[in-house]
Amino acid sequence: MTTTTTVPRRDAVRRSYLLCPPTYFAVEYAINPWMDPSRPVDSSAALQQWQTLRDTLRELGHRVETIAARPRLPDMVFAANGASVVDGRVLVARFRYPERAPEAAAHRAWFHRAGYRPRVARLPNEGQGDFLPVGGRVLAGSGPRTSAAAHHEAERAFGRRVVSLRLTDPRYYHLDTALAVLSEDQVMYYPAAFTPESNRTLRELFPRAILATDEDASVLGLNAVSDGRHVLLTEAARGLAARLHAEGFVPIGVRLPELLKAGGGPKCCVLELHPASRERP
């Protein structure tokens, strides 16, 4: 008896993204295990790698806007951390570390100019690094950066149910380093980065989720950007790429080795501007 597996049809949805060029990118301090100020950074290579990421998003038909980098803010290239946008509602981050704190004001100003009505968080949260909308809810990470109490604040700000997930490994300091939203009903994640309780929650919500191996998680393969069909992830995550292909997605490998020196990958660089529901395609 022969059995066949039907590969789900995956449809891309046009997205809007906010990116910040790595004009002042450097590793000048260490606020996560990936960062080592003694390792040299090639600024020209970082810019080229970032430009390739930006151009790939545009070639896929997505709208890409940019926020100007500011001096003395080397991590501002990781735009996803500056705010969360859910149904057109903006919650500006309140960074845990003083080195990144001024980034919040830059994002607040950008959203004001863009016609949003941004609300500044009162409690520590680092934007879309820890708040990921999916299927009518928001998955929220807590751990080294975002406080669990901030999840209640986000629930009020977004008007959506927030599902709390606890991170346990300092290498995976934001939710988007250990979990990626692929579509409205599918995610991929690294079980070892979460508490047993959070793993149970994820299994209940996403029984067919793609699970990352140690090898793929350790190259930040889960720090990925998906439009529902195409998934941009580090080209080093070959196992995840194969699993994505088997599930009907189109994996697109990208190289960001310079930004990885600060613990960042494709998703860290990309803040998705989730529109209000009535504006959805």
Side-chain angles (χ1 to χ4, degrees):
M1 180 178 179
T2 302
T3 58
T4 58
T5 302
T6 302
V7 177
R9 175 184 173 84
R10 305 294 183 183
D11 296 316
V13 176
R14 186 174 183 268
R15 313 285 175 124
S16 294
Y17 298 117
L18 178 65
L19 279 71
C20 179
T23 308
Y24 304 103
F25 175 68
V27 179
E28 299 175 347
Y29 45 77
I31 57 174
N32 69 52
W34 303 84
M35 303 177 83
D36 180 356
S38 69
R39 296 176 64 195
V41 170
D42 187 330
S43 300
S44 296
L47 178 59
Q48 292 173 355
Q49 292 160 16
W50 178 87
Q51 289 173 335
T52 298
L53 173 64
R54 177 201 62 190
D55 294 346
T56 301
L57 292 169
R58 287 176 172 167
E59 289 165 4
L60 291 172
H62 303 301
R63 179 182 180 184
V64 176
E65 301 190 58
T66 57
I67 178 173
R70 294 192 179 184
R72 296 181 295 279
L73 295 178
D75 281 342
M76 197 169 164
V77 62
F78 303 125
N81 305 148
S84 301
V85 185
V86 179
D87 291 333
R89 301 181 181 185
V90 179
L91 183 64
V92 177
R94 182 172 294 277
F95 286 90
R96 174 74 69 177
Y97 288 98
E99 291 89 343
R100 298 197 66 182
E103 294 178 37
H107 277 84
R108 181 175 181 271
W110 186 91
F111 279 103
H112 264 304
R113 290 193 299 270
Y116 293 84
R117 299 176 62 185
R119 171 177 174 176
V120 179
R122 295 183 301 102
L123 298 171
N125 88 70
E126 298 201 355
Q128 216 166 71
D130 274 322
F131 293 127
L132 299 176
V134 56
R137 61 178 70 88
V138 177
L139 301 181
S142 66
R145 302 296 184 88
T146 295
S147 68
H151 296 179
H152 301 293
E153 182 180 20
E155 195 164 58
R156 292 190 298 271
F158 300 138
R160 281 198 187 190
R161 178 192 171 206
V162 168
V163 177
S164 294
L165 302 169
R166 179 74 179 174
L167 297 163
T168 60
D169 189 323
R171 293 175 300 167
Y172 307 105
Y173 54 93
H174 283 146
L175 181 62
D176 71 358
T177 64
L179 182 149
V181 172
L182 301 173
S183 66
E184 287 302 297
D185 62 357
Q186 180 64 303
V187 303
M188 59 182 183
Y189 66 96
Y190 179 48
F194 297 94
T195 63
E197 182 180 3
S198 294
N199 270 288
R200 286 193 294 271
T201 298
L202 287 168
R203 286 194 299 269
E204 291 172 3
L205 292 176
F206 306 102
R208 296 184 59 255
I210 295 172
L211 304 183
T213 63
D214 297 349
E215 183 179 17
D216 284 336
S218 68
V219 293
L220 285 189
L222 291 160
N223 195 246
V225 180
S226 175
D227 63 11
R229 173 175 165 79
H230 309 97
V231 182
L232 279 65
L233 74 167
T234 178
E235 65 178 14
R238 297 180 180 86
L240 277 178
R243 292 289 310 279
L244 287 164
H245 179 75
E247 289 287 332
F249 294 98
V250 179
I252 299 175
V254 295
R255 294 185 69 254
L256 296 174
E258 292 306 306
L259 298 180
L260 183 62
K261 293 176 181 178
K267 180 64 185 78
C268 288
C269 296
V270 177
L271 173 56
E272 185 169 350
L273 305 175
H274 292 271
S277 299
R278 63 179 179 279
E279 298 173 358
R280 291 187 185 277

